[in-house]
């Protein structure tokens, strides 16, 4: 399993030292204030939408935006966090997501079009890629059906190319998995049209270290969701290396990260 | 010939768009809009790729008005401001608002759902020929828009010009 310390564990019984420190910085408010129902503030905006998926961070709704098929990503308030901290984190992630989407689009990487962002309720309205499937599902079905697993090679090449392009723009995705990549409707063939989604944990950095960790996260996720795909992932890395001049430094860092894990320092 | 859209997020409002060409009283129109006699944002149609672009701007303007976070003084000026990729208000008016000498104008008005009186006022005031809103693309200044929004050739490969423009409008306040 991936350790995801950034998605804070709500169930920790014993308060960690960091939690106690946080409580001092954001003193606990009287209960009445905590209970103010902030989750309902987005309700009118989501009236015509149907809940589609739910994660730890946000709920995804499907609906219409000004006549177009749209998905709404609503980052709901987390009651287990202090309200002020929650507001800060949620706002930052909403902003990062919108910003990274535009940055990628400018570089020619397909991402869903952002139609409208509501920074008061933390909703992002974006294009619904109707009929698209996740790369994860595509790999799983191709592996199960057993017919020409070589067809996945082209997909791995494309993934490597796109990630190299993204890293050349100094965008670090922060949560690369095969579930966060979509294949546009009807593009399962060799000319795969890959769309990257979920930039909530993204940030910009030019450091090979950060890019190496990004690829390491993908490697862990890739190999744990898709067994026996070591050669496929190697093909992805080869294509990544071929596509970017900065790649060798990243691959070197990736080797370092593999030895020590995602966290750089052993403190905290 | 005008097109009315309902705002799904704000069902009590509708947005009506009208496109006019051979407009003779541009200066007078602009004056009466600034004095609040007509309830419509007067937009330079050369800067619009699609009616959807104006709709996105209107939707955002209504949202910001409700949230009390408008950057400009009125809903109509906010619509024009939202079209711009920058946060410079006077530049937005200069580029996206109608100028006194213009022969064509795209009017966007936000009104309560059933109340079409604003639309009638505008239709009566504009001295020009009304054309279907769908013909907006014949007025579009594509090179000018690409330059103003800084749309790169690599971006055009992964989406339409309209998508590029809408993305910038939506994200401009945090870039």
């Amino acid at each position: 399993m991936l350790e995801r310390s950034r998605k804070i564990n709500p169930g920790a019984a014993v308060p960690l030292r960091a939690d106690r420190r946080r409580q001092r910085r954001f003193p606990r408010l009287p209960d009445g204030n905590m209970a103010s129902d902030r989750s309902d503030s987005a309700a009118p905006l989501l009236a015509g939408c149907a809940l589609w998926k739910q994660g730890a961070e946000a709920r995804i709704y499907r609906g219409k935006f000004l006549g177009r098929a749209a998905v709404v990503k609503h980052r709901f308030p987390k009651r287990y966090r202090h309200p002020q901290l929650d507001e800060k984190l949620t706002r930052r992630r909403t902003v990062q997501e919108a910003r990274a989407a535009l940055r990628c689009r400018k570089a020619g990487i397909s991402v869903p079009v952002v139609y409208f962002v509501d920074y008061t309720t933390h909703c992002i309205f974006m294009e619904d890629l109707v009929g698209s499937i996740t790369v994860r599902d595509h790999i799983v079905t191709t592996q199960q059906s057993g017919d020409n697993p070589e067809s996945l090679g082209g997909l791995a090449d494309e993934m490597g190319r796109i990630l190299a392009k993204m890293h050349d723009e100094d965008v670090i995705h922060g949560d690369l998995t095969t579930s966060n990549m979509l294949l546009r409707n009807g593009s399962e063939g060799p000319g795969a049209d890959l769309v990257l989604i979920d930039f909530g944990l993204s940030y910009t950095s030019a450091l090979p270290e950060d890019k190496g960790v990004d690829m390491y996260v993908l490697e862990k996720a890739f190999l744990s969701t898709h067994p026996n795909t070591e050669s496929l992932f190697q093909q992805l890395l080869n294509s990544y290396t071929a596509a970017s001049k900065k790649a060798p430094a990243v691959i070197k860092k990736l080797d370092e990260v593999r030895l020590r894990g995602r966290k750089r320092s052993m403190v905290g | 010939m005008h097109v009315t859209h309902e705002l799904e997020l704000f069902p009590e409002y509708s947005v009506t768009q009208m496109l006019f060409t051979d407009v003779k009283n541009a200066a007078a129109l602009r004056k009466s809009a600034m004095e609040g006699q007509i309830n419509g944002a007067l937009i330079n149609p050369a800067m619009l790729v699609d009616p959807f672009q104006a709709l996105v701007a209107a939707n955002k303007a209504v949202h910001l008005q409700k949230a009390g976070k408008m950057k400009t003084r009125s809903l109509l000026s906010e619509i024009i401001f939202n079209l711009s990729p920058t946060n410079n208000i006077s530049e937005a008016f200069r580029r996206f608002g109608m100028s006194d000498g213009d022969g064509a104008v795209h009017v966007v008005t936000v009104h309560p759902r059933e109340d079409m009186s604003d639309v009638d006022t505008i239709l009566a005031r504009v001295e020009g020929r009304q054309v279907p809103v769908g013909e907006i693309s014949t007025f579009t200044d594509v090179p000018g828009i690409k330059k103003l929004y800084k749309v790169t050739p690599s971006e055009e490969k992964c989406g339409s010009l309209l998508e590029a423009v809408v993305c910038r409008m939506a994200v401009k306040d945090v870039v």
Side-chain angles (χ1 to χ4, degrees):
Chain A
M1 274 301 285
L2 266 181
E3 35 154 341
R4 296 223 176 141
S5 60
R6 262 195 277 179
K7 294 182 177 168
I8 295 167
N9 173 16
V14 186
L16 302 168
R17 191 180 301 163
D19 285 347
R20 260 182 276 145
R21 223 180 292 136
R22 200 175 298 126
Q23 267 180 21
R24 241 174 289 146
R25 210 160 6 124
F26 301 97
R28 185 171 285 276
L29 299 175
D31 267 1
N33 212 336
M34 290 282 278
S36 70
D37 201 1
R38 290 168 300 148
S39 65
D40 278 352
S41 58
L45 287 180
L46 299 168
C49 302
L51 182 64
W52 182 34
K53 279 186 178 160
Q54 147 114 44
E57 169 79 12
R59 294 192 184 101
I60 307 288
Y61 297 82
R62 272 188 142 151
K64 289 265 173 197
F65 178 73
L66 304 176
R68 300 190 173 213
V71 295
V72 188
K73 183 167 184 175
H74 174 219
R75 292 191 152 79
F76 50 86
K78 317 293 180 301
R79 293 301 178 71
Y80 52 83
R81 289 200 288 236
H82 190 281
Q84 275 169 288
L85 173 70
D86 181 39
E87 168 73 20
K88 264 193 170 171
L89 285 175
T90 310
R91 171 171 305 253
R92 193 195 300 154
R93 287 176 187 174
T94 311
V95 167
Q96 274 163 339
E97 176 148 22
R99 211 181 265 158
L102 182 60
R103 219 178 145 100
C104 283
R105 175 162 279 274
K106 279 184 179 168
I109 300 163
S110 287
V111 292
V113 186
V114 178
Y115 289 141
F116 171 57
V117 189
D118 179 352
Y119 299 102
T120 54
T121 57
H122 312 296
C123 286
I124 300 186
F125 291 72
M126 53 195 152
E127 174 189 15
D128 185 2
L129 300 157
V130 180
S132 60
I133 57 165
T134 63
V135 168
R136 178 197 166 129
D137 290 348
H138 178 64
I139 295 180
V140 168
T141 43
T142 312
Q143 279 191 325
Q144 274 170 358
S145 66
D147 52 273
N148 66 337
E150 295 81 34
S151 71
L152 291 175
L155 179 62
D157 286 343
E158 186 62 19
M159 280 156 74
R161 259 197 303 278
I162 286 193
L163 295 180
K165 215 194 258 181
M166 184 182 82
H167 281 172
D168 274 351
E169 285 301 306
D170 294 338
V171 175
I172 312 296
H173 185 284
D175 191 14
L176 283 176
T177 62
T178 45
S179 308
N180 282 341
M181 300 176 195
L182 301 181
L183 285 169
R184 217 184 273 270
N185 190 13
S187 67
E188 289 87 25
D193 193 356
L194 268 176
V195 185
L196 293 183
I197 58 165
D198 194 0
F199 285 89
L201 294 177
S202 69
Y203 57 100
T204 54
S205 161
L207 297 177
E209 162 78 24
D210 293 324
K211 295 174 188 176
V213 170
D214 217 20
M215 295 307 280
Y216 176 73
V217 169
L218 176 64
E219 181 178 61
K220 281 281 187 187
F222 198 107
L223 298 181
S224 61
T225 34
H226 310 295
N228 309 319
T229 49
E230 281 77 7
S231 62
L232 197 63
F233 190 76
Q234 193 51 50
Q235 194 172 348
L236 189 158
L237 285 182
N238 291 344
S239 134
Y240 176 89
T241 318
S244 164
K245 266 189 254 154
K246 298 175 192 163
V250 177
I251 299 295
K252 200 166 149 250
K253 278 288 176 191
L254 175 60
D255 291 333
E256 269 178 45
V257 177
R258 276 191 191 123
L259 294 177
R260 60 148 218 255
R262 185 164 72 83
K263 293 283 183 197
R264 183 173 203 161
S265 71
M266 305 302 273
V267 189
Chain B
M1 285 215 248
H2 50 262
V3 179
T4 303
H5 287 274
E6 195 188 309
L7 296 178
E8 288 108 342
L9 304 184
F10 311 100
E12 62 273 32
Y13 292 109
S14 290
V15 174
T16 298
Q17 304 190 49
M18 291 154 273
L19 182 57
F20 299 92
T21 179
D22 303 329
V23 178
K24 290 176 196 73
N25 58 341
L29 269 180
R30 213 165 78 91
K31 192 158 170 278
S32 49
M34 284 197 291
E35 286 166 359
Q37 288 165 3
I38 53 173
N39 178 26
L42 307 174
I43 298 166
N44 176 6
M47 284 297 150
L48 292 179
V49 185
D50 191 283
F52 183 68
Q53 186 186 350
L55 215 49
V56 170
N59 177 72
K60 190 173 167 185
V62 173
H63 164 71
L64 291 176
Q65 191 188 37
K66 289 201 139 195
K69 293 201 169 151
M70 287 208 299
K71 299 259 172 56
T72 62
R73 283 194 210 158
S74 78
L75 182 72
L76 299 173
S77 55
E78 193 73 14
I79 294 177
I80 298 177
F81 175 67
N82 285 343
L83 288 168
S84 165
T86 67
N87 284 312
N88 185 326
I89 296 176
S90 64
E91 191 193 322
F93 288 164
R94 205 169 54 239
R95 303 223 187 249
F96 291 88
M98 185 179 67
S99 318
D100 283 350
D102 280 0
V105 64
H106 188 79
V107 187
V108 178
T109 172
V110 180
H111 52 86
R113 238 174 116 179
E114 304 300 330
D115 180 15
M116 297 296 272
S117 59
D118 286 335
V119 176
D120 295 334
T121 318
I122 293 164
L123 289 174
R125 286 249 184 177
V126 181
E127 291 169 21
R129 188 164 58 86
Q130 194 183 5
V131 292
V133 172
E135 286 180 19
I136 189 89
S137 58
T138 57
F139 294 86
T140 309
D141 172 16
V142 175
I145 288 181
K146 279 186 190 166
K147 195 170 159 225
L148 187 60
Y149 284 93
K150 299 199 182 76
V151 180
T152 58
S154 60
E155 185 173 355
E156 284 172 60
K157 274 183 234 149
C158 71
S160 66
L161 182 60
L162 175 65
E163 289 175 347
V165 166
V166 167
C167 241
R168 279 169 178 71
M169 283 165 49
V171 182
K172 80 164 179 179
D173 25 25
V174 291
V175 172

